[in-house]
Amino acid sequence: MPIAPPRRRPRAARVAVSAALVVGLGAASACSNAATDPEAPFTPSAFDQGSQVSVLLASGRAMGNPIEEALTKAEFTADVQVGIDGQDQHERLAKIIEAKPKVLIVDTMNADAIRADLDKVQETGAAVVALSSLPKDTKAIDFFVGIDPRAEGKLQGQALVDGVRGRVEKAPSAVELFAGSAADAAAQMRFDAAMEVVRPAIDAQTIVVRSGEREFAQAAMPDAKAAGARMGTLLGSYYPKTAPQGFLAPNDTVAQTVMGEVRA
């Protein structure tokens, strides 16, 4: 993205995601395993009103209030929490498991940190809904709700290309690339789609990645803290005098952390 304050997702979009979650909970309690077998048969079975639904969001998301309002309106018992990082989500999940909710909705910050916890939640008989991010290497996920990561990636890539165009006279604009966690199946789809837009600009020499780190394996960061540390290293190694004109970031939390390093 260009070096500018990131925009928050419009409230209407957040409410739409909340509504999709609640409609899904009212309609079904089991489906194909989202992470491993999207073609498996879907088996509908509604949850009772009053059922406890635990929601564990990622820091920086602005979906907590709309989700809680939608769940309460649908007469579910809502417990909405926000984790600040993967370790905090792990600790919160230990308490959520003790509460034995009927449903867990989780926006994963670091899949490696909570993969075992998700398996334990499923062992209690709870349905597990992955929100926005889709953890790899687990059979605990029953549902996935989120924006199409490929469509999102293309929009992010286009925003970067448009945002840095013409920033440097008679020279390519310098950018760096950041992606979500390698443990998130949606992260690579998002990054690959963004690069379908960014790579032609690199080939045309209107954009340059000074670090040379263009691959997903190089750009993937487990969390925002790691992304900030990487940006600090890149600035010291490749930008001794001026900051890059823009960067690609998978979400607002990473963008804000990277921006903090640029402005430090």
Side-chain angles (χ1 to χ4, degrees), residues 178-194:
F178 292 83
S181 170
D184 175 7
Q188 181 150 15
M189 289 188 282
R190 186 182 300 110
F191 181 81
D192 289 348

Side-chain angles (χ1 to χ4, degrees), residues 8-264:
R8 304 176 82 182
R9 182 178 300 168
R11 176 176 170 81
R14 303 197 298 270
V15 172
V17 170
S18 306
L21 281 168
V22 174
V23 169
L25 295 178
S29 61
C31 74
S32 60
N33 186 275
T36 60
D37 188 6
E39 301 300 325
F42 173 79
T43 306
S45 176
F47 291 104
D48 295 332
Q49 290 181 326
S51 296
Q52 180 169 333
V53 179
S54 293
V55 182
L56 182 55
L57 299 176
S59 176
R61 302 290 196 195
M63 294 185 287
N65 288 339
I67 289 176
E68 186 169 12
E69 290 169 4
L71 288 170
T72 301
K73 185 176 181 179
E75 299 186 20
F76 291 110
T77 301
D79 171 30
V80 180
Q81 303 183 39
V82 178
I84 60 174
D85 54 28
Q87 179 60 31
D88 187 42
Q89 285 194 323
H90 164 67
E91 293 171 1
R92 289 175 183 273
L93 276 170
K95 296 180 180 179
I96 288 173
I97 291 168
E98 292 178 2
K100 295 183 178 179
K102 289 290 185 181
V103 183
L104 169 67
I105 299 168
V106 57
D107 184 7
T108 306
M109 298 186 74
N110 183 342
D112 291 331
I114 68 168
R115 189 175 290 108
D117 299 308
L118 296 179
D119 292 338
K120 290 178 182 178
V121 171
Q122 192 183 54
E123 288 170 5
T124 69
V128 180
V129 181
L131 177 62
S132 299
S133 59
L134 182 57
K136 291 181 179 177
D137 303 322
T138 177
K139 295 182 178 180
I141 307 301
D142 297 297
F143 297 90
F144 173 71
V145 176
I147 297 171
D148 177 357
R150 286 192 55 79
E152 187 177 20
K154 286 187 177 181
L155 289 172
Q156 290 174 342
Q158 193 63 56
L160 175 63
V161 171
D162 291 345
V164 300
R165 183 179 290 119
R167 289 250 177 145
V168 181
E169 188 175 354
K170 296 182 180 180
S173 296
V175 305
E176 293 298 334
L177 309 173
F178 292 83
S181 170
D184 175 7
Q188 181 150 15
M189 289 188 282
R190 186 182 300 110
F191 181 81
D192 289 348
M195 290 305 291
E196 288 178 11
V197 180
V198 174
R199 192 170 285 109
I202 295 174
D203 293 342
Q205 298 183 355
T206 59
I207 284 179
V208 61
V209 181
R210 282 190 191 169
S211 68
E213 297 179 1
R214 305 180 190 177
E215 303 303 319
F216 176 74
Q218 298 169 307
M221 296 288 105
D223 52 35
K225 183 178 180 180
R230 176 172 174 253
M231 180 52 111
T233 300
L234 293 176
L235 289 172
S237 299
Y238 302 100
Y239 301 91
K241 295 182 180 180
T242 59
Q245 280 71 57
F247 55 89
L248 180 71
N251 55 55
D252 287 356
T253 306
V254 170
Q256 290 165 349
T257 304
V258 170
M259 180 69 74
E261 288 294 323
V262 173
R263 290 174 172 168

